[in-house]
Amino acid sequence: MDKFDVIVIGMGPGGEAAAGRLLDAGRRVAVIERELIGGECAYWACIPSKTLLRGPEARAEAGRAAGVATPALDWAGLRDYRDYMIRHLDDTAQISGYEQAGATVIKGAARIAGPGKVEVGGQLLEAGHIVIATGSQPLRPAIDGLDQVTVWTNREATTVRDIPSRVLLIGGSAVGVELGQFYARMGAQVTIVQRAGTLIDREDPRVGELAAQALAADGITVRTGRAPVRARPAGDGTVVTLDDGSQIETDVVILGLNRAGVQLDQGGAIPVDERCRAGDGLWAVGDVTGVALFTHVAMYQGRVAADNILGRDRAAAYQGIPRVVFADPEIAAVGLTAAQAAARGISTATAEISLADAIARPWTYERDPRGTLGLLADRDRGVLAGAWAVAPLASEWIHQAALAIRAQIPISVLLDQVAQFPTYSEAYLTALERLGLSTRSA
Ligand SMILES: Cc1cc2nc3c(=O)[nH]c(=O)nc-3n(C[C@H](O)[C@H](O)[C@H](O)COP(=O)(O)OP(=O)(O)OC[C@H]3O[C@@H](n4cnc5c(N)ncnc54)[C@H](O)[C@@H]3O)c2cc1C
């Protein structure tokens, strides 16, 4: 039996972060991956989707900036660059990279065979620590006839070669909104059906409203508060019936639903403590923990688990984790929603500002400037509890609120902090003043 200090099962961002840190510290590490090193994120999720969105986004930006002719889209060029970015679905370089770093790389589906024991391809391995980083699976909704029509998950949707004419997205979360905007901007007729009353329902309802407005401007039909109940083939396409009896004709149904954390035996998310410990010598990181299904969280947990394995006691803190939908304009949020704060009995103050009314950057950036910022403060503690923005570049400037929330920076200090003129970051000052807590501090 081969013996290691640590066995990492699943080499997506969570597994990679853990393995990299453990190898750097000189540990004997085996990494096991049943598909491609890099995981869902690198080949079928974050990387291809953000790459595909950028071309249409740049085109739309040029249309909004003064004095620029709108450039043409080049699907073949964008598709080639997407293929380059997903390494043509080839992880040969990653395998040799890990081998050179000292890891034993094993391709195959692993199974826990007992405490400290892992079985893969008939081979039994043993280690003091096992890190499970096996990711999540797309949820398949219970819709009559779905198995008889063309259905894509994120995999087909992000490796697409020919843009379909009509697309129906089931689910209006981050994945549904991003893919919906991409396909619409590439010329498809897009409908998004969302069971919840608003899009991106993990956020404040106002965020969903603003997202729906942005998608409507791209010609996307958004049906919230509705669920598909039946699907049937019709000619070359599909007809999907919703729970109000209305019907949508489409060429392809794309599942844009939230994903489910699934463990090795398909048993659901693995509960972990704040150190990412799942049991004695057993650790879990990333989507499989169900904590927050993001790459940055998977990598963070990978670092936390590795540090604990290395004897550097470390607890994870999730208060300042940003949540971004890479639509245009970008949708970014951090901390609590108003409903979550109310459920915790926090006394709050809120502010919402239109960026065009408050600061100069939106006007220098584009004609007909867009953007809204919302803040949520804890009145008693004099700190920010949450923030959201639907605005250009919001994925970048949300990090100020993220740090303020994580470090509990008093609002009195935030009010005294100066942002570069003219930037989107200046909006925080106006919004903070609008909270009406200016004389309080923690
Ligand atoms: C379309 C789309 C876009 C997204 N965009 C973003 C984004 O922009 N930003 C963001 O933060 N997040 C994004 N996400 C979410 C992000 O992809 C995940 O949160 C992230 O991939 C989780 O990393 P992970 O390491 O937990 O799992 P994964 O990336 O899923 O990797 C898990 C790995 O484990 C392997 N594995 C599973 N079981 C076994 C087994 N038994 N034996 C061996 N190997 C196994 C799998 O093959 C896989 O390679 C997006 C998701 C989707 C679907």
Side-chain angles (χ1 to χ4, degrees), residues 283-358:
W283 310 80
V285 303
D287 281 9
V288 74
T289 66
V291 169
L293 279 61
F294 294 107
T295 287
H296 44 293
V297 173
M299 294 192 295
Y300 177 50
Q301 293 180 317
R303 297 192 294 273
V304 168
D307 278 352
N308 283 300
I309 290 169
L310 294 169
R312 308 167 190 157
D313 184 46
R314 183 170 178 191
Y318 299 106
Q319 310 89 295
I321 304 282
R323 308 178 294 266
V324 171
V325 182
F326 290 84
D328 174 21
E330 291 182 340
I331 301 162
V334 62
L336 301 179
T337 63
Q340 288 165 341
R344 292 182 192 195
I346 298 173
S347 161
T348 55
T350 58
E352 177 184 318
I353 63 160
S354 158
L355 303 192
D357 296 341

Side-chain angles (χ1 to χ4, degrees), residues 10 12-14 33-34 39-40 50 110 134-135 264 286-287 293-296:
E33 170 54 54
R34 69 176 177 195
E40 202 70 23
K50 265 82 269 182
T134 48
L264 289 183
D287 281 9
L293 279 61
F294 294 107
T295 287
H296 44 293

